[in-house]
Amino acid sequence: MLETVAIWGITGKTVTSIMLIWAMYSQYIPRHVRSYVERYLYKLLGWISFYVHIKFTEYTDEGLKRSDNYDAIRNYLSTNTAAHAQRLKANESKNSKSLVLSMDDYEEVEDVFNGVKVKWYSNVKVTQTQSNYGRNTSYERRFFTLTFHRRHRGMIIESYIAHVLREGEAISVRNRERKLYTNNSSSEWYPWMSGKWSNVPFHHPATFETLAMDPEKKEMIKKDLVKFSKGKDYYKKVGKPWKRGYLLFGPPGTGKSTMISAIANFLDYDVYDLELTTVKDNSELKKLLLDTKGKSIVVIEDIDCSLDLTGQRKTKNEEDEEEDKVKKKKKKEDEKKSKVTLSGLLNSIDGLWSACSDEKIIIFTTNFVDKLDPALIRRGRMDNHIDMSYCRFEAFKVLAKNYLETESHELYGEIKKLLEETDMSPADVAETLMPKSDEEDADACIKRLVKTVEEEKEKARKLAEEAEKEEKRKKKKEEEAEKKKTEEEEKEVKGSENNGTN
């Protein structure tokens, strides 16, 4: 009994001494000296140890892009941690009724590959920094460490790591839940907050089958999308980044947003809804796009309303002059205003940075395509221009089938004639076709549509007549002004001649 007490007493003193020495070392030894000592201590341990350690970080060294390898390893280990790890992190799955368990920070698990035992450690490094405003902030960087005996180095590096990455990617594909992302303000770009993007599950029901568009046009778009999704080797062969641009243009209510959802559902891609007005500058825009993944669609809706991207590109001198003017503004206003330029957007979507990730579609939507700079929508940037026009008869038949489950009616001939003569958006046609009560049947809805289109046609006729009258009045006014000007000039000429005679 006394021996046990003595042992515990010695152990307690030893631990206390070690803690005291460590506290003094951390407090009084300069940081650069500690770094120097620790570096050589690690080398010494490496000479003594028989084990090899490989570190897999969550982000690249520059912190610009999340590591795909890290995500694959996390997915792979998630299949083993529930059975072996003592501390786990529980994350909600797609249906929010079951949980996905993964390794907690500072946890370890063992894995066996071809009879060789390895260990995985989950770690996190917290870095303290001080901002320009004197505010202390901390950044968390997580990483996995793989440890194995050095006699298995060749097999682990050549076979095991490839096996882990391959299995992790397969697990990611099986468990993948498609997301709808929106970009956050740069003030929220911290690991403990939302990061660069916030997301929600993407469950939009739109498909090409329910899209109100001419069937032949839809089939052409689907073939183009399939060709792109299978074109990895082709794009590599021709020397182009594996991306494709689509410009959706047309009046409001013609289904541009619905088309985006249909494309995402058809290809099983995520959607990144990029709001340019919250992006501070061109550098921030590049970082946002770098943080997007493959198999995704980057969307900028109503790009004609996003910042000043509708005019021609400025020369270098003009940009410098504008920059000087911006610097003279108040600091508070300057921070709120986005400085993303047309040149910065072009470089981000089609410059060197665009090749940093594969299998990506970029979609712009606009109501006024004529306002956009030609450089923004040229082929090679926006490869496929899709005119989302007014509802014609083929699109109407899709809507009638969707909303009323009918494919023929005695009024279809009259509707065809009316829709060819009247510009009415698919959204307006769909709203008119939708039953407003349980008592309304398909016949009542179709008759209401005929009446509505006739009213729109009459309204358009009156507007055209008013516009024609206004044009005539304007022309008459211009003729009178021109006549008056001519008469005044003739008077001046006569006056000059009379003066000359006198």
Side-chain angles (χ1 to χ4, degrees):
M1 182 69 179
L2 292 174
E3 291 179 359
T4 304
V5 173
I7 292 171
W8 279 107
I10 294 171
T11 304
K13 289 180 180 179
T14 303
V15 172
T16 304
S17 300
I18 292 173
M19 292 177 65
L20 179 61
I21 293 170
W22 178 256
M24 294 177 64
Y25 170 78
S26 301
Q27 186 172 356
Y28 296 107
I29 303 299
R31 181 179 295 177
H32 67 279
V33 176
R34 293 203 310 267
S35 176
Y36 184 82
V37 171
E38 290 168 6
R39 184 166 67 249
Y40 280 94
L41 180 60
Y42 285 133
K43 285 187 177 181
L44 179 62
L45 292 175
W47 292 334
I48 299 173
S49 175
F50 293 100
Y51 289 88
V52 179
H53 309 277
I54 302 179
K55 182 179 178 181
F56 299 88
T57 57
E58 184 179 11
Y59 287 88
T60 59
D61 290 338
E62 297 79 11
L64 293 176
K65 190 174 185 296
R66 187 178 176 89
S67 171
D68 294 333
N69 291 339
Y70 179 89
D71 290 335
I73 293 169
R74 185 183 59 182
N75 292 332
Y76 175 82
L77 295 177
S78 67
T79 61
N80 303 316
T81 53
H84 300 92
Q86 295 180 345
R87 295 190 307 275
L88 305 169
K89 284 192 294 187
N91 303 301
E92 288 187 357
S93 66
K94 180 177 180 179
N95 54 22
S96 298
K97 295 180 180 179
S98 61
L99 295 175
V100 176
L101 301 178
S102 59
M103 290 174 63
D104 196 4
D105 297 332
Y106 308 109
E107 187 57 272
E108 66 177 73
V109 291
E110 291 184 352
D111 192 23
V112 179
F113 180 74
N114 291 344
V116 176
K117 184 182 293 185
V118 300
K119 283 190 176 182
W120 286 95
Y121 299 89
S122 175
N123 300 291
V124 57
K125 181 180 179 181
V126 181
T127 304
Q128 298 286 341
T129 60
Q130 191 172 18
S131 66
N132 296 331
Y133 303 100
R135 202 179 302 165
N136 290 325
T137 57
S138 60
Y139 296 88
E140 292 183 346
R141 286 290 184 262
R142 288 177 169 77
F143 60 93
F144 290 115
T145 302
L146 171 62
T147 302
F148 55 90
H149 199 282
R150 61 187 183 189
R151 66 170 173 264
H152 303 301
R153 179 192 292 266
M155 187 267 289
I156 296 298
I157 293 176
E158 295 174 7
S159 302
Y160 176 67
I161 294 178
H163 162 76
V164 170
L165 298 179
R166 185 170 56 252
E167 289 294 315
E169 290 172 2
I171 293 169
S172 176
V173 171
R174 290 198 301 269
N175 298 336
R176 183 169 175 263
E177 178 188 15
R178 290 189 300 118
K179 300 283 189 179
L180 172 62
Y181 294 85
T182 184
N183 54 303
N184 298 316
S185 169
S186 56
S187 62
E188 301 176 12
W189 289 8
Y190 300 105
W192 63 88
M193 297 179 73
S194 303
K196 294 182 180 65
W197 297 91
S198 296
N199 67 80
V200 294
F202 184 76
H203 293 152
H204 200 289
T207 64
F208 276 102
E209 286 69 29
T210 60
L211 187 65
M213 180 182 279
D214 183 87
E216 292 184 4
K217 194 172 183 180
K218 285 195 287 187
E219 196 61 30
M220 288 177 61
I221 296 170
K222 287 167 66 176
K223 288 179 179 179
D224 187 72
L225 292 169
V226 171
K227 181 70 174 177
F228 167 77
S229 65
K230 297 179 178 179
K232 181 178 182 179
D233 294 334
Y234 176 79
Y235 276 82
K236 185 177 181 180
K237 183 181 72 173
V238 299
K240 289 183 62 177
W242 190 14
K243 67 177 184 64
R244 190 156 177 80
Y246 288 82
L247 175 68
L248 309 183
F249 64 94
T254 51
K256 294 183 287 293
S257 297
T258 306
M259 169 66 81
I260 295 169
S261 300
I263 292 174
N265 288 328
F266 182 70
L267 294 176
D268 200 27
Y269 280 10
D270 293 325
V271 178
Y272 289 86
D273 184 13
L274 180 58
E275 179 54 62
L276 285 178
T277 56
T278 65
V279 183
K280 189 168 61 176
D281 51 33
N282 294 335
S283 176
E284 193 171 290
L285 177 61
K286 290 175 183 176
K287 292 176 182 178
L288 276 167
L289 294 177
L290 276 175
D291 205 43
T292 60
K293 298 181 180 180
K295 290 186 176 295
S296 64
I297 302 171
V298 178
V299 178
I300 303 179
E301 291 197 273
D302 297 320
I303 194 168
D304 52 291
C305 304
S306 298
L307 310 178
D308 186 17
L309 302 177
T310 57
Q312 298 294 327
R313 283 177 284 184
K314 299 178 177 65
T315 64
K316 181 65 177 174
N317 291 334
E318 288 173 336
E319 288 183 350
D320 292 340
E321 289 175 6
E322 186 169 327
E323 188 175 349
D324 292 337
K325 291 179 182 178
V326 171
K327 287 180 180 179
K328 293 178 182 178
K329 291 184 179 180
K330 292 181 180 180
K331 187 175 182 180
K332 192 173 183 180
E333 294 178 355
D334 189 48
E335 289 176 353
K336 290 181 179 179
K337 186 177 179 181
S338 174
K339 297 180 185 177
V340 174
T341 63
L342 176 59
S343 177
L345 179 61
L346 296 180
N347 290 332
S348 297
I349 65 171
D350 192 41
L352 295 174
W353 292 89
S354 66
C356 294
S357 60
D358 285 336
E359 198 171 358
K360 193 173 293 181
I361 289 176
I362 300 172
I363 297 180
F364 294 162
T365 72
T366 179
N367 295 335
F368 307 101
V369 68
D370 295 336
K371 288 185 177 181
L372 299 179
D373 191 308
L376 185 65
I377 59 175
R378 68 162 175 80
R379 307 292 176 175
R381 289 193 175 112
M382 294 293 105
D383 306 284
N384 196 341
H385 294 194
I386 302 175
D387 183 6
M388 307 295 292
S389 60
Y390 289 107
C391 185
R392 302 308 178 202
F393 184 64
E394 293 298 327
F396 156 76
K397 289 196 294 184
V398 175
L399 292 173
K401 185 177 180 181
N402 293 342
Y403 286 86
L404 304 175
E405 297 183 352
T406 181
E407 297 185 17
S408 62
H409 192 274
E410 59 184 10
L411 294 175
Y412 268 27
E414 185 177 352
I415 290 174
K416 181 178 182 180
K417 182 180 178 182
L418 286 170
L419 289 177
E420 292 300 326
E421 298 171 348
T422 310
D423 291 337
M424 194 169 178
S425 71
D428 290 334
V429 173
E431 178 60 30
T432 307
L433 286 176
M434 184 181 292
K436 303 300 185 288
S437 67
D438 293 337
E439 289 74 24
E440 281 193 336
D441 57 8
D443 184 65
C445 294
I446 289 176
K447 288 179 179 178
R448 180 171 62 224
L449 175 65
V450 171
K451 182 180 177 182
T452 302
V453 178
E454 287 176 342
E455 291 173 352
E456 289 293 323
K457 182 180 178 181
E458 181 63 20
K459 190 186 298 183
R461 185 186 65 79
K462 289 180 179 179
L463 288 173
E465 287 179 355
E466 291 178 3
E468 187 178 354
K469 289 179 182 178
E470 181 64 28
E471 184 66 26
K472 288 181 178 179
R473 282 196 296 267
K474 186 177 179 181
K475 188 175 181 181
K476 185 178 180 181
K477 192 174 181 181
E478 289 175 352
E479 289 175 352
E480 290 176 351
E482 185 67 25
K483 184 178 179 181
K484 186 177 181 180
K485 184 179 179 181
T486 303
E487 291 176 351
E488 290 176 353
E489 289 176 350
E490 289 177 351
K491 287 181 180 179
E492 290 178 1
V493 171
K494 288 181 179 179
S496 299
E497 290 177 350
N498 293 333
N499 292 332
T501 303
N502 295 331

